[in-house]
Amino acid sequence: MTAQQNPSLASFTGDANPYGGGDPYADYRSADLPFTQYANLADRQLGAGVVAANDEFFAQRENLLVPEPAEFDPEHFGHKGKVMDGWETRRRRGASAEHPWPTEDDHDWALIRLGAPGVIRGIVVDTAHFRGNYPQAVSVEGTSVAGSPSPEELLADDVKWTTLVPRTAVGGHAANGFAVLAEQRFTHLRLKQHPDGGIARLRVYGEVVPDPAWLSALGTFDVVALENGGQVEDASNLFYSPATNTIQPGRSRKMDDGWETRRRRDQGNDWIRYRLVDRSQIRAVEIDTAYLKGNSAGWASVSVKDGEDGEWREILPRTRMQPDTNHRFVLPETAVGTHARVDIFPDGGISRLRLFGSLTEDGAAHLAARHQELGG
């Protein structure tokens, strides 16, 4: 099967210049990729992993999902050669002296388990610092397999793979971006590089589509959590860190693992607007300011609305926030809605927002229908 791909995105072809010293990112090539507004479904924090690769002679496959940008040390060599921060395979060779070149079909591959299954909107194959050793072309396929399949099960003949990025030439030391228009739910990817070479990072941007049966079994859960299908729709300010951090799994581990705004010099306030997993009944609220000590929000309030055209209704009035503290509130009555908004006053940040509740009957039915429609 083949999914339609948007051909209009910038493509990076041709060689990158050799490293000339100084800032290793000085001549790095990138573009404005609109799909990066979505969450990274291949985030290790969500539980993503590179479960297998056919070759990782020079550099380990796990580097593909490291959250930080790839680093480059021009003097770092190991017993196998130059140490690279990415996934790098050995050079392929032909069958004989008469035919020393790789064949047209030769390629290396890696299997990636998404941290959260979902609809993929775009993929970035980043070849940062791979200048003379990046692949000639890449391709990406996706599949949906229930449970926790082994690499052998994923590679079985009965598993159907959908082409998300057809074989496409890429450039070295560049963020090669590809929009994906497949309206399907995927759990795993197969990244191929043709015929060999190195890739620094892989990013997979999209919308989480949770398993309705799992959420039903949980009963009460966080209806705004990214892993459960919640989304950030917009925010007033993203100067220091992304608003999506506030719905990531677990507690914040450091200051930049939350959401922090620049200092306001007016009489306004900052905010984040969210879309819940589906129509929900909210019974409790948690606002965490972990690691935000001299820069946490002074006060916060939470509002919900029911439907795109619904009116905002405050469910947690403006409440004093303490630095580096987890604040918990049981609501006096259940709040029903499809969207939520947290307002902070006047500025600063929070690390996490949790909205505990359950799906309404119509919300559960809608989520189940979408899950089935997307092949879940």
Side-chain angles (χ1 to χ4, degrees), residues 32-39 124 205:
D32 183 17
L33 302 172
F35 51 73
T36 56
Q37 65 180 298
Y38 294 100
V124 173
Y205 297 99

Side-chain angles (χ1 to χ4, degrees), residues 237 240 261-270 346-347:
N237 188 272
Y240 286 112
T261 70
R262 66 189 305 161
R263 300 187 189 212
R264 296 191 75 95
R265 299 303 189 220
D266 58 23
Q267 299 300 304
N269 74 283
D270 288 313
D347 57 21

Side-chain angles (χ1 to χ4, degrees), residues 115-173:
V119 178
I120 297 169
R121 302 302 184 194
I123 295 173
V124 173
V125 178
D126 190 344
T127 56
H129 312 304
F130 287 92
R131 297 170 179 270
N133 49 352
Y134 60 92
Q136 181 183 33
V138 300
S139 60
V140 184
E141 300 164 297
T143 190
S144 182
V145 180
S148 304
S150 67
E152 292 75 21
E153 290 170 325
L154 288 170
L155 296 172
D157 292 339
D158 61 342
V159 174
K160 295 181 180 179
W161 291 87
T162 298
T163 299
L164 305 180
V165 178
R167 182 169 175 167
T168 306
V170 293
H173 197 45

